[in-house]
Structure formats: C-alpha cells, structure tokens
Amino acid sequence: MLKKEGVKPLFLSLVSDHWRKFLFPVVAVAAIVAFLLIPRGQAETTNIVLGEQNPFPELVEEEVVEEVGLPAIIVVDVKGAVLRPGVYTLEEGDRLIDAITAAGGYAPEADSRMLNHALRLADELLIYVPLEGEEVPQNEVNLSTDGVEDTSGGLVNINTATEVELTSIAGIGPAKAAAIIQYREEHGPYQTVEGLMEVSGIGQKTFDKLKHQIKVK
C-alpha cells in the first residue's frame, strides 16, 4: 500500500511522462465544444432579431390611420360685433359658440340675444352679430334661437338656395337640405312654402318652426 507522501510524486511523474497522450483528447474535446456552441449562438441571435420584426406591417399602418382619423374641416365667416371679425377654420361638429370664441368673443356693444349658440356649423356659413339696437342688413344669415321669427328680414328662397344656405334655416340640417334640393330638381320649383312639406322628413311641426324664414319667390 502506497504512502500518502508517495502518491503526489507518482501522479506528477505519470503526467510528465505521458502528457502527449492527454493533450490530443483535450484539444479534440475543446474543438467539438466550440463547433457546437458557435452556430447555436448565431441562431439564437438571428431568432431574436427576427422576432422583433412585424411580419404584417401593413396591418399596423391601417390601424394607426383608423385611430388617428381627423375630423373634416369647415370654414366660416364671422362678421359684426365681435372682437376679431374674419374667416375662421373650425372642425365639423363645432357649434356657433365655437366660432364666436375663435373670433375673440363678443364686442361690448354686441346684441347676442337672438343667436343660437348651440347651432351646429356648416361649411361656408356666414355669422353676423348685430350691435344693440341695430337693424340687421337684408340677406344676412338668421341664427335665431327658435326660428319662429326672422329678425333679419331676409328670407331664404327654397327654390334657389344652396345646401349651405338651407342649413342656415333653424331645423334644417345637411340631410334635409339635400332632400329639399333633390325634390325641386325632380318636381320643379316649389309653388308655395307649404310645398316644403312634400319633402320626406319635413312634417307640419317642422314646417311651423321654419315657415317664417323661407320664401318661394
């Protein structure tokens, strides 16, 4: 039985005498390990890069466009007793009060009692704000609150009015304005203001509210 003191010298002697026999297997194993590990690392790197790419970029672009969708632009002309009269660009769905605000608000001497601040604006609409005690000029757009009395004295001719002019009538929106124009194109000029009730969507109740704002000649 070998003593402990003799084991270490014996081991060193064997390694020293046979180092060439150990060297080749070690080098071979190292080469195999390197061969296996290097391609795997490249593949993993490639997979990560590909994983970050969107295979359907056009779908993402379509979703972004739908979400960002911008409202339609309208242009209105604000005149009269406001701080900054002029032409203003607003968005579809804005109300009369938005146009007044864009024009800097009312002048101190403005008479806004007959203006309908909740009126939905239409493109090319003319808004006139009178002074206190002023007689509103003929043919100015009527923006009264109830549409029962035309305070401007200017009536809308339903036989010649454009769609924008028709939407200035209280109770007439874009759809009804288009229907009024379509009816007169198909059946000829209206003979009386009551003929407006022949248009789909305009009944007696609606007509009673707007009859004082319209004319046929």
Side-chain angles (χ1 to χ4, degrees), residues 19-122:
W19 66 271
R20 292 183 178 86
K21 296 181 180 179
F22 290 100
L23 180 60
F24 178 79
V26 170
V27 172
V29 170
I32 294 173
V33 171
F35 177 80
L36 294 176
L37 291 181
I38 291 176
R40 180 180 299 175
Q42 293 176 345
E44 290 175 354
T45 302
T46 303
N47 289 337
I48 292 174
V49 173
L50 291 177
E52 295 175 351
Q53 296 177 353
N54 180 12
F56 304 105
E58 65 279 0
L59 297 182
V60 175
E61 293 177 358
E62 291 178 359
E63 292 176 359
V64 171
V65 172
E66 292 178 358
E67 292 177 0
V68 174
L70 299 177
I73 297 299
I74 61 174
V75 179
V76 298
D77 188 4
V78 185
K79 297 180 180 295
V82 290
L83 296 180
R84 296 192 300 272
V87 176
Y88 292 92
T89 299
L90 300 171
E91 296 180 352
E92 185 178 23
D94 282 348
R95 307 287 177 162
L96 175 62
I97 188 61
D98 297 314
I100 299 299
T101 301
Y106 291 115
E109 63 275 18
D111 184 1
S112 62
R113 292 174 301 167
M114 298 304 294
L115 298 181
N116 179 5
H117 291 146
L119 179 71
R120 190 185 298 273
L121 300 177

Side-chain angles (χ1 to χ4, degrees), residues 2 23 59 96 98 104 121 128 131 142-143 149 164 179 191-192 195 209 216:
L2 297 174
L23 180 60
L59 297 182
L96 175 62
D98 297 314
L121 300 177
Y128 185 81
L131 298 170
N142 177 29
L143 301 173
E149 182 180 358
V164 172
Q191 300 302 312
T192 63
K209 290 182 178 181
V216 295

Side-chain angles (χ1 to χ4, degrees), residues 135-142 149-156 212-213 215:
E135 182 178 349
V136 181
Q138 289 283 338
N139 298 325
E140 292 293 354
V141 174
N142 177 29
E149 182 180 358
D150 179 11
T151 58
S152 70
L155 303 179
V156 177
H212 297 289
Q213 306 175 67
K215 63 183 180 179

